[in-house]
Amino acid sequence: VQLQASGGGLVQAGGSLRLSCAASGRTFSMYAVGWFRQAPGKTREFVAAISRSGGTTNYADSVKGRFTISRDNAENTGYLQMNSLKPEDTAVYYCAARTAILTAALEHEEWGYAYWGQGTQVTVSS
């Protein structure tokens, strides 16, 4: 499966953005989807994950209550709605996909995801 992330941009603190992850090449519903981010000078970190059906979601503590992950299997697209953005959310955001079924803890691990899109830059100004 090929993944294409989009929707990043520059936003003021407190604002919102919605990222999209468009999939092509294989049946999207075969894959669980995750979002990760990498801030300058830091390692890439887990943000959120969603199961194949969309029925189960998992979030990093730092974004709980502010970010919402979702998917539309009919449109072959995953989403990350980001509200109440903070300057510390500034990063390159990546979407990833996996066929492996992982525990909630292992969903945070990059190695669990075999397919990655290019990143999209999110910049939050104070």
Side-chain angles (χ1 to χ4, degrees), residues 10-15 85-90 122-126:
L10 174 63
V11 64
Q12 289 189 328
L85 282 161
K86 304 175 181 180
E88 51 263 43
D89 293 318
T90 294
V122 172
T123 302
V124 184
S125 63
S126 57

Coordinates of all heavy atoms in Angstrom, one line a residue, residues 10-15 85-90 122-126:
L10 N 0.7 26.0 8.8 CA 1.0 26.9 9.9 C -0.3 27.4 10.6 O -1.2 27.8 9.9 CB 1.8 28.1 9.4 CG 2.1 29.2 10.4 CD1 3.0 28.7 11.5 CD2 2.7 30.4 9.7
V11 N -0.3 27.2 11.9 CA -1.5 27.6 12.6 C -1.1 28.2 13.9 O -0.1 27.9 14.5 CB -2.5 26.4 12.8 CG1 -1.8 25.3 13.7 CG2 -3.8 26.7 13.4
Q12 N -2.0 29.1 14.4 CA -1.7 29.7 15.8 C -2.1 28.7 16.9 O -2.9 27.9 16.7 CB -2.5 31.0 15.9 CG -1.9 32.1 15.0 CD -2.6 33.4 15.4 OE1 -3.8 33.5 15.8 NE2 -1.8 34.5 15.2
A13 N -1.4 28.9 18.0 CA -1.8 28.1 19.2 C -3.3 28.2 19.4 O -3.9 29.3 19.4 CB -1.0 28.5 20.4
G14 N -3.9 27.1 19.8 CA -5.3 27.0 20.0 C -6.1 26.7 18.7 O -7.3 26.4 18.8
G15 N -5.5 26.7 17.6 CA -6.2 26.4 16.3 C -6.3 24.9 16.1 O -5.9 24.1 16.9
L85 N -4.3 23.1 19.3 CA -2.9 22.9 19.1 C -2.0 23.8 19.9 O -2.3 24.9 20.2 CB -2.6 23.1 17.6 CG -3.1 22.0 16.7 CD1 -3.2 22.5 15.2 CD2 -2.1 20.8 16.8
K86 N -0.9 23.2 20.3 CA 0.1 23.9 21.1 C 1.4 24.0 20.3 O 1.7 23.2 19.4 CB 0.4 23.1 22.4 CG -0.9 22.8 23.2 CD -0.6 21.9 24.3 CE -1.8 21.5 25.2 NZ -1.5 20.6 26.3
P87 N 2.3 24.9 20.7 CA 3.6 25.0 20.0 C 4.4 23.7 20.0 O 5.1 23.4 19.1 CB 4.3 26.1 20.7 CG 3.2 27.0 21.2 CD 2.1 26.1 21.6
E88 N 4.2 23.0 21.1 CA 5.0 21.7 21.2 C 4.4 20.6 20.3 O 5.0 19.5 20.2 CB 5.0 21.2 22.7 CG 3.6 21.1 23.3 CD 3.3 22.4 24.2 OE1 3.6 23.5 23.7 OE2 2.8 22.2 25.3
D89 N 3.3 20.9 19.6 CA 2.8 19.9 18.6 C 3.5 20.1 17.3 O 3.3 19.3 16.3 CB 1.3 20.1 18.4 CG 0.5 19.7 19.6 OD1 0.8 18.7 20.2 OD2 -0.4 20.5 19.9
T90 N 4.4 21.1 17.2 CA 5.1 21.4 16.0 C 6.0 20.2 15.6 O 6.8 19.8 16.5 CB 6.0 22.7 16.1 OG1 5.1 23.8 16.2 CG2 6.9 22.9 14.9
V122 N 3.7 20.3 10.3 CA 2.7 21.1 11.1 C 3.5 22.1 12.0 O 4.4 21.6 12.7 CB 1.9 20.2 12.0 CG1 1.0 21.0 13.0 CG2 1.0 19.3 11.1
T123 N 3.2 23.3 11.9 CA 3.9 24.4 12.7 C 2.9 25.1 13.5 O 1.9 25.7 12.9 CB 4.7 25.3 11.8 OG1 5.7 24.5 11.0 CG2 5.5 26.3 12.6
V124 N 3.0 25.2 14.8 CA 2.1 25.9 15.6 C 2.8 27.1 16.3 O 3.8 26.9 17.0 CB 1.5 25.0 16.7 CG1 0.5 25.7 17.6 CG2 0.9 23.7 16.1
S125 N 2.4 28.3 16.0 CA 3.0 29.5 16.5 C 2.4 29.9 17.8 O 1.2 29.7 18.0 CB 2.9 30.6 15.5 OG 1.6 30.9 15.2
S126 N 3.2 30.5 18.7 CA 2.7 30.9 20.0 C 2.1 32.3 19.9 O 2.2 33.0 19.0 CB 3.8 30.8 21.0 OG 4.9 31.6 20.6

